[in-house]
Amino acid sequence: MKIRRVLATAVALAVTTPAALLSVSPAYADAKPAAQTQDQQKSKPTIKELEEAAAEAQKAYDKAAEAEAAGRIELEKTLDDLSEVSGTHPLAVASAAADQAAKDAAAAKTTADQAVTDAKAALDALTEDATEEERTAAETALSEAEATATTAATAKTAADTAAAEAREKLDDARVAAVRAYGVLQNAAEEALAVKVAADAALAKAVKEAEETGEGEEGEEGGACEPELDLTSKVTGLPDKLVAGTSTDFSLRVTNGSDRHMDEVLAFVSVHATDRSGLKDTGKFFRLQWSTKSAPKWQNADSDEYIDGVGALKPGAHADVKLRLTLDKATPAGNGVAFFAADFFNEDGSCGGAPDLDMYEFDVKAAGSKPGKTEDAKPSKTTKPGNTGTTPQGSVSATPVTTGTNGSLAATGSSSATTPIALAGGAAVLLGAAAVFVVRRRKTGADA
């Protein structure tokens, strides 16, 4: 059931980067395609080709994201250099000097104006007994003070003009720096859009392959089947995680069916980005697990399956202890975690829960106070080819704790999701997740 990884990655991208997703999702979030001709089917790309295309899109996005991150650092450095307070750029130095000259000119004008006022007062204070020499001296002092004030006013006007021009040049340099960074930012967004589309096309092809009997099979050739009674329930996962801390929680996998399951695997997938939604921060996360049969903490494998559950009899359950550790350098942002379970029997039969439980959480920077923290609550994301009770391509109506104002309204019954439910495949899940996040952000803005 490797389709889980495709879906988890695709939906995580939708949740963490809704803007880029919404710009491309209409291109492929359509109804089931019409019957293809034989020539069209021959030209249809294979899953291998789509996997290669998705891999290339991933590489392109990684490079664009790396360039955007480097550009952001350069922008911050440039803006620091252009600071009028402490900047070392020639334009910043010139602007600061012009501002100081304008302040000095203003002070000189104030002094000159005061001298005029004082000279007038001195002249007016002369009595009738004043000599002609005294009156002439007072009039001369007033005339000189007025001349000095006129010169100071002219100097102030010139200094103000020079300061305004220097600030304008400095502002132009800042705008140019921001625009240069914007080019890199747009390139990263476009690369992400291509990556999302490639992932969606691959997921759709895998789904179609499953529907036509070309999907993943058991050891003896039996296709894996949905098993609604194989459930996974998470407890203790908070809706806010703080960088530099570890969080222990648990996953209970229950075999509610009437058949024995020889090997049960738990599926756990965690995805996160920074606040911009463009930078994947998953490298700062470490997931560990332990079970009764394997009590020592183990790092989760890259395939995101946990093999310590073992066999489950009808009605039995097993608990998986989980520990999610965030490095101190983890940027603030948001993330999602996916949980499910699959089984494989010795007779070749296999299957699993048709839905992935999606838990959303906020990531706080190191040293932050998490504030009021509640347990994250699940929302369902439907597996392509789902034959269970949840509508194909829908998101369940379970409220999801957001960390903004407590909870988000039900996401499965709104008219906004009606057209989404009409489309098929992983593209629908991406669109549903985008609607989910748009509502979350709107709710947070209205709080």
Side-chain angles (χ1 to χ4, degrees), residues 64-90:
E66 183 178 352
E68 186 271 339
R72 184 183 305 175
I73 295 174
E74 184 62 26
L75 172 63
E76 292 174 353
K77 180 179 180 298
T78 300
L79 293 180
D80 286 341
D81 288 344
L82 292 172
S83 171
E84 289 180 287
V85 177
S86 59
T88 58
H89 192 282

Side-chain angles (χ1 to χ4, degrees), residues 177-233:
V178 172
R179 285 177 176 171
Y181 169 67
V183 173
L184 298 175
Q185 197 172 35
N186 290 337
E189 291 175 354
E190 291 173 0
L192 177 62
V194 173
K195 170 181 162 40
V196 171
D199 287 341
L202 175 59
K204 186 175 181 180
V206 173
K207 177 205 169 200
E208 290 176 352
E210 286 186 339
E211 289 178 342
T212 57
E214 299 174 1
E216 185 175 355
E217 300 181 346
E219 293 178 2
E220 296 183 7
C224 294
E225 302 175 354
E227 178 51 76
L228 295 173
D229 293 323
L230 180 59
T231 60
S232 55
K233 182 179 180 181

Side-chain angles (χ1 to χ4, degrees), residues 36 40 50 53 79 95 98 133-134 137 182 234 268 280 322 330 369:
Q36 295 177 319
Q40 286 175 325
L50 290 173
L79 293 180
S95 180
E133 290 79 4
E134 289 175 337
V234 174
V268 182
D280 182 0
L322 296 167
T330 307
K369 294 182 179 180

